[in-house]
Amino acid sequence: MNKAKHIAIIMDGNGRWAEIQGKKRVKGHEAGAKVVKQITTYCSANKDIERLTLYAFSTENWKRPRLEVEFLMKLLENYLKNELATYVANNVHFEPIGDIKAFSKSLQQTIQDVKEKTAHCDGLIQSLALNYGAQDEILRALNKIKNSENDITEATLLDALDCKHEVDLLIRTGGDHRLSNFLLWQSAYAELFFVDTLWPDFTTNDLENIIIKFTKIERRFGGLK
Ligand code: FPP
């Protein structure tokens, strides 16, 4: 049976969730942050899951209205500060991916702080993709290794990426069927699950059901059975 060692999630549908209830879009992000905590806690208790990578802010999300971007930044900073104790209590190591230099000094400091203070945790690795885009990640990686004397190989490129681990199971909530520039290299052989549920409504039960389906898939990685 397959093990979903690395689960990646595109958390989509926060805005629509809020709009359906006549609330401002940012209320959807607030509700979404609570689900981040629930799903992370669930994964930390499942010993088969080694990594959970969540798409929290893309390189394209800067195009959103200024107030929404500012809200997301504040929400992220508060989340990391408030949840540090939960990370440690659940033995979760926080490992951001993405180019965080574009964030405020204070947010960068908070990200660094949580990373350092959870460095000793050897359970689940939770990665938040922050100012992340797979094309940007691949370009940054190529620029890091372009002056090497040797040919670039799959292994050397992978090693230069922010996320060096192939994805087993990639889930997108919110009804759309696209990857939106998320973990393109690492998801080459990922099993893809697209669900209509909006992220704030996504439950640990939903995740469990997807994992059960995933474990039964025959994964061939391009080979034969
Ligand atoms: C997509 O919903 C979601 C985002 C752009 C950001 C994800 C953020 C969170 C889940 C909350 C904060 C996260 C942390 C880690 C504290 P959307 O706004 O695109 O939804 P829509 O498609 O309905 O408009």
Side-chain angles (χ1 to χ4, degrees), residues 98-99 132-133 135-144 162:
D99 188 3
Y132 175 88
Q135 292 172 339
D136 178 65
E137 178 192 34
I138 292 167
L139 281 179
R140 284 188 286 108
L142 288 173
N143 277 312
K144 269 188 231 165
D162 298 347

Side-chain angles (χ1 to χ4, degrees), residues 11-16 25 29 33 56 61 64 75 79 128 199:
M11 310 180 286
D12 197 18
N14 294 346
R16 278 167 286 161
R25 288 179 50 83
H29 296 315
N61 284 153
R64 295 191 173 207
L75 183 64
Y79 180 87
L128 292 183
W199 177 249

Side-chain angles (χ1 to χ4, degrees), residues 2 191 214-220 224-225:
N2 303 315
E191 301 299 332
F214 166 86
T215 57
K216 296 178 184 154
I217 293 172
E218 187 193 307
R219 301 185 79 197
R220 293 190 298 276
L224 299 176
K225 195 176 160 204

Side-chain angles (χ1 to χ4, degrees), residues 44-179:
S44 71
N46 180 330
K47 295 300 163 223
D48 286 342
I49 306 171
E50 295 170 5
R51 282 178 185 271
L52 172 68
T53 304
L54 302 171
Y55 208 2
F57 193 85
S58 77
T59 44
E60 286 73 37
N61 284 153
W62 297 106
K63 294 181 204 153
R64 295 191 173 207
R66 186 178 55 86
L67 287 178
E68 184 170 339
V69 170
E70 281 173 12
F71 186 93
L72 279 168
M73 296 294 134
K74 201 72 223 152
L75 183 64
L76 183 62
E77 190 160 355
N78 289 341
Y79 180 87
L80 290 172
K81 283 181 177 159
N82 295 338
E83 298 307 330
L84 173 60
T86 317
Y87 277 96
V88 175
N90 292 335
N91 198 24
V92 176
H93 177 177
F94 170 67
E95 204 179 79
I97 58 168
D99 188 3
I100 64 165
K101 289 192 302 293
F103 292 154
S104 71
K105 285 278 170 287
S106 149
L107 179 51
Q108 287 186 50
Q109 187 55 54
T110 303
I111 290 168
Q112 192 53 30
D113 225 44
V114 177
K115 189 176 161 180
E116 281 167 17
K117 289 183 175 149
T118 61
H120 66 286
C121 298
D122 60 2
L124 179 77
I125 297 164
Q126 185 226 46
S127 278
L128 292 183
L130 302 169
N131 191 29
Y132 175 88
Q135 292 172 339
D136 178 65
E137 178 192 34
I138 292 167
L139 281 179
R140 284 188 286 108
L142 288 173
N143 277 312
K144 269 188 231 165
I145 55 183
K146 70 178 177 199
N147 293 327
S148 148
E149 286 164 16
N150 304 316
D151 283 352
I152 295 173
T153 63
E154 278 184 28
T156 51
L157 178 60
L158 186 65
D159 194 50
L161 293 173
D162 298 347
C163 173
K164 308 174 200 325
H165 307 273
E166 67 174 23
V167 173
D168 297 302
L169 168 59
L170 188 144
I171 302 168
R172 181 181 186 129
T173 62
D176 286 328
H177 294 203
R178 54 175 173 259
L179 296 178

